[in-house]
């Protein structure tokens, strides 16, 4: 995979002096992934090849770095208040590298309305391919690569932890050190989704979220804990969707944004995803979907989330 990576060096040994220094090296890396409907993903099909890119920022240029792979939400890498870029800053300042993956541009997705062409969980393939790429980078510690995703990006962050998906689409010799989902969806039940790769899982969610409600994640975290998995859910009171997006200081109503807050899906025999109640195949035209959501930055919740994640990662990386 390293051979097919297109390494476009756009900044090396940038100034690292002063309190505002975040990283000393930045690269744009391209890698091969695949486009596929959710049914094909669940049955292990390879899909149509696509070339994606990501932005690697490393705090240290003379030694191996720990890195967090960041997955954007449905608005794309620069959308919905800019949480990916802000998290990159926060983690870089803590001495942790970041690799912000653009899952949409290489697939021809340019708008929020187009995001429905890609099921969040099918982006797990992007996560595994990014992991494989980074594990071979000379300045990345292959044992200290975590994954973190926001909203739509919570799919690759959370479900790349499943042993079954790892067997279908991953590589047995390289694994993420930890998985972090930030207000990602948990409204679907997959076969063997309680069997994780024995890596810590952290879920962060606002209790006021009306786009991706917290209820299903509470239920999933409880199922994982009952099954003996290392999973933790941290709740942020009165926090809406994108509570960590600093550009959204005032509440923003999105009357046309589609939400599956009333939907529950389940995987059935043969890898099909169906409505848990009606048994109809998964579709964005399912009557359970409706429109109208709220997004808003919550400074207290964002600051707390920053500290929660840094403490979580410190504990993980110090063990490696």
């Amino acid at each position: 995979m390293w051979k097919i990576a297109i390494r476009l060096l756009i900044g090396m040994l940038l100034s690292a002096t002063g309190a505002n220094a975040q990283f000393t090296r930045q690269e744009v890396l391209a890698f091969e992934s695949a486009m596929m409907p959710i049914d094909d993903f669940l049955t292990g099909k390879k899909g149509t090849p696509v070339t994606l890119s990501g932005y690697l920022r490393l705090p240290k240029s003379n030694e191996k770095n720990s890195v967090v792979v960041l997955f954007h939400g449905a608005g794309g890498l620069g959308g919905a208040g800019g949480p990916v870029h802000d998290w990159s800053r926060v983690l870089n300042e803590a001495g942790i590298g970041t690799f912000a993956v653009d899952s949409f541009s290489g697939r021809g997705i340019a708008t929020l309305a187009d995001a429905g062409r890609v099921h969040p969980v099918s982006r797990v393939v992007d996560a595994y391919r990014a992991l494989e790429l980074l594990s071979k980078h000379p300045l990345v510690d292959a044992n200290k690569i975590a994954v973190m995703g926001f909203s739509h990006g919570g799919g690759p962050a959370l479900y790349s932890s499943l042993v079954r998906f790892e067997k279908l689409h991953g590589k047995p010799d390289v694994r993420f050190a930890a998985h972090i989902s930030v207000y990602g969806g948990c409204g679907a039940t997959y076969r063997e989704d309680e069997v994780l790769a024995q890596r810590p899982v952290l879920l962060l969610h606002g209790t006021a979220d009306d786009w991706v409600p917290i209820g299903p994640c509470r239920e999933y975290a409880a199922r994982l804990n009952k099954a003996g998995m290392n999973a933790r859910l941290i709740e942020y009171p009165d926090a809406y969707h994108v509570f960590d997006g600093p550009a959204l200081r005032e509440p923003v109503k999105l009357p046309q944004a589609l939400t599956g807050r009333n939907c529950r899906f389940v995987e059935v025999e043969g890898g099909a995803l169906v409505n848990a109640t009606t048994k109809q195949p998964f579709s964005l035209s399912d009557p359970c979907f409706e429109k109208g959501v709220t997004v808003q930055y919550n400074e207290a919740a964002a600051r707390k989330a920053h500290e929660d994640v840094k403490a979580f990662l410190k504990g993980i990386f110090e063990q490696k």
Side-chain angles (χ1 to χ4, degrees):
M1 184 65 70
W2 185 254
K3 292 181 180 180
I4 69 168
I6 303 170
R7 304 185 58 190
L8 303 173
L9 188 61
I10 62 174
M12 292 183 61
L13 301 178
L14 302 176
S15 173
T17 58
N20 293 325
Q22 297 174 21
F23 53 86
T24 60
R25 182 183 180 106
Q26 178 168 305
E27 302 175 28
V28 179
L29 304 178
F31 60 97
E32 186 177 290
S33 188
M35 181 79 167
M36 67 191 75
I38 185 61
D39 291 6
D40 285 357
F41 171 83
L42 294 174
T43 53
K45 295 181 181 178
K46 301 304 180 184
T48 303
V50 294
T51 299
L52 306 180
S53 61
Y55 299 82
L56 180 65
R57 293 179 174 180
L58 300 177
K60 295 167 283 192
S61 62
N62 57 355
E63 60 183 283
K64 288 185 179 293
N65 294 257
S66 56
V67 174
V68 178
V69 181
L70 301 174
F71 280 96
H72 60 73
L77 191 56
V84 171
H85 298 298
D86 199 52
W87 274 100
S88 187
R89 173 192 61 79
V90 168
L91 294 171
N92 291 162
E93 290 176 351
I96 300 171
T98 54
F99 185 55
V101 173
D102 181 353
S103 288
F104 284 178
S105 294
R107 292 183 166 102
I109 296 172
T111 67
L112 181 63
D114 292 336
R117 291 167 44 198
V118 179
H119 192 282
V121 176
S122 70
R123 291 171 68 191
V124 165
V125 177
D126 300 353
Y128 291 146
R129 298 299 168 264
L131 171 64
E132 185 179 359
L133 172 71
L134 293 176
S135 70
K136 299 174 183 178
H137 194 291
L139 290 177
V140 174
D141 188 331
N143 295 313
K144 296 182 179 180
I145 304 174
V147 59
M148 181 177 185
F150 309 86
S151 191
H152 196 288
L158 175 58
Y159 293 103
S160 55
S161 66
L162 270 61
V163 168
R164 175 181 161 225
F165 292 166
E166 185 180 77
K167 290 179 179 178
L168 288 175
H169 300 284
K171 298 289 184 181
D173 58 339
V174 58
R175 281 180 170 174
F176 286 110
H179 303 259
I180 306 170
S181 175
V182 186
Y183 42 80
C186 306
T189 300
Y190 299 95
R191 292 190 294 110
E192 302 176 38
D193 68 359
E194 296 174 3
V195 183
L196 307 187
Q198 296 302 318
R199 297 294 190 272
V201 170
L202 180 66
L203 298 95
L204 312 180
H205 222 112
T207 61
D209 198 321
D210 65 356
W211 196 336
V212 182
I214 193 173
C217 288
R218 285 174 176 156
E219 295 170 10
Y220 186 40
R223 284 201 293 122
L224 290 174
N225 289 325
K226 186 177 180 179
M229 299 296 107
N230 185 354
R232 180 188 179 195
L233 169 64
I234 300 179
E235 302 186 11
Y236 300 93
D238 304 317
Y240 283 98
H241 205 64
V242 200
F243 65 78
D244 53 347
L248 300 168
R249 298 276 173 174
E250 299 297 326
V252 177
K253 301 292 184 178
L254 301 174
Q256 296 304 311
L258 199 64
T259 169
R261 58 186 168 225
N262 296 321
C263 301
R264 291 300 184 94
F265 294 98
V266 61
E267 182 186 358
V268 295
E269 197 68 28
L273 197 61
V274 303
N275 184 303
T277 301
T278 66
K279 309 305 179 186
Q280 293 300 305
F282 173 82
S283 170
L284 292 179
S285 61
D286 191 304
C288 71
F289 284 98
E290 60 185 26
K291 295 181 179 180
V293 302
T294 307
V295 292
Q296 184 182 14
Y297 177 62
N298 184 312
E299 184 174 0
R303 289 182 179 276
K304 177 67 163 51
H306 294 163
E307 296 308 312
D308 288 338
V309 168
K310 287 188 291 184
F312 173 72
L313 290 173
K314 180 180 179 182
I316 300 300
F317 291 151
E318 286 182 350
Q319 295 174 12
K320 298 293 182 180

